[in-house]
Amino acid sequence: YHYLDYIEWQEQRDAYVIDSAITVFSQVTKPLSMCVITSSTHAPFTVNGLDWTYKVPPEMPNAMARYIQSFHYLDQSLKPLLDRMLNDSVFANTLLVIAADHKIFDEESRRMFRDYCSLHNMDLNPQLPYTPLIIYSPSIQQNTIYSSIAYQMDIYPTIQGLVLDSVEDIWRGVGRNLL
């Protein structure tokens, strides 16, 4: 992963990081690849000083409550970027990739979450330790769920396959295009 420059934010709040990324992106005059790393959705989901605005039932297991609240916070932090992508011509050609770097919960935690969700008729049922990879691009015309085993090393060839005509002629690394 070769980056020519990097910016480090001292403030570890996703909303500030995303806002700063939008500012940097707004000022570029040529194509740009940017990696933005957020921290609120990293276990144990306890970023200090965050005012969790999404309320959860008081009897919900603590780890599950923090997990849900942190992803709600990340969703709210990403909203300005997504709004720009949908409404701004410069941002309209943006390829957005959201990926986690590893699974979060072990089998015992997933079992506890499943039991709680089943008891409360909640539609959150973590069966397997999936790691999310979400790609949004104007060139993607349909939702695709890739359920075979994939690896973090597959992200770059997949992105290249979306932005280049022929990734097979260019990609010389480990990994494959998931699309």
Side-chain angles (χ1 to χ4, degrees):
Y1 308 161
H2 180 71
Y3 296 102
L4 300 176
D5 199 1
Y6 72 94
I7 300 170
E8 183 177 346
W9 290 271
Q10 297 302 317
E11 183 62 56
Q12 293 185 351
R13 300 202 196 291
D14 295 352
Y16 298 142
V17 173
I18 300 295
D19 186 54
S20 297
I22 291 171
T23 300
V24 169
F25 190 77
S26 298
Q27 297 170 354
V28 300
T29 57
K30 58 184 179 180
L32 170 72
S33 173
M34 182 185 305
C35 177
V36 177
I37 300 172
T38 59
S39 60
S40 66
T41 56
H42 202 281
F45 318 110
T46 56
V47 176
N48 290 332
L50 282 184
D51 180 23
W52 299 116
T53 58
Y54 190 79
K55 302 303 177 201
V56 295
E59 74 278 359
M60 181 178 279
N62 192 32
M64 185 176 185
R66 289 192 322 259
Y67 171 77
I68 290 171
Q69 289 168 330
S70 68
F71 273 91
H72 179 265
Y73 172 73
L74 177 61
D75 288 349
Q76 295 304 307
S77 299
L78 284 170
K79 186 180 183 322
L81 175 60
L82 296 173
D83 288 344
R84 291 287 292 268
M85 290 175 69
L86 295 172
N87 299 308
D88 183 303
S89 62
V90 173
F91 281 78
N93 285 326
T94 300
L95 174 72
L96 177 65
V97 178
I98 300 172
D101 57 346
H102 53 77
K103 69 181 178 115
I104 298 172
F105 298 111
D106 58 17
E107 177 56 36
E108 181 180 336
S109 297
R110 290 194 311 276
R111 189 177 316 106
M112 176 185 61
F113 293 174
R114 282 192 301 270
D115 292 347
Y116 179 86
C117 290
S118 177
L119 184 65
H120 292 86
N121 291 327
M122 292 176 67
D123 189 23
L124 177 65
N125 191 6
Q127 296 293 328
L128 296 171
Y130 290 120
T131 303
L133 171 62
I134 302 167
I135 301 174
Y136 170 80
S137 168
S139 64
I140 297 176
Q141 299 301 312
Q142 66 184 26
N143 290 336
T144 301
I145 297 175
Y146 187 88
S147 58
S148 297
I149 293 175
Y151 300 93
Q152 194 173 41
M153 66 187 168
D154 299 326
I155 295 172
Y156 277 99
T158 302
I159 293 168
Q160 284 186 332
L162 289 167
V163 298
L164 301 173
D165 291 331
S166 177
V167 70
E168 290 77 23
D169 295 337
I170 297 170
W171 181 249
R172 298 287 183 251
V174 179
R176 65 188 187 283
N177 182 342
L178 299 174
L179 300 176

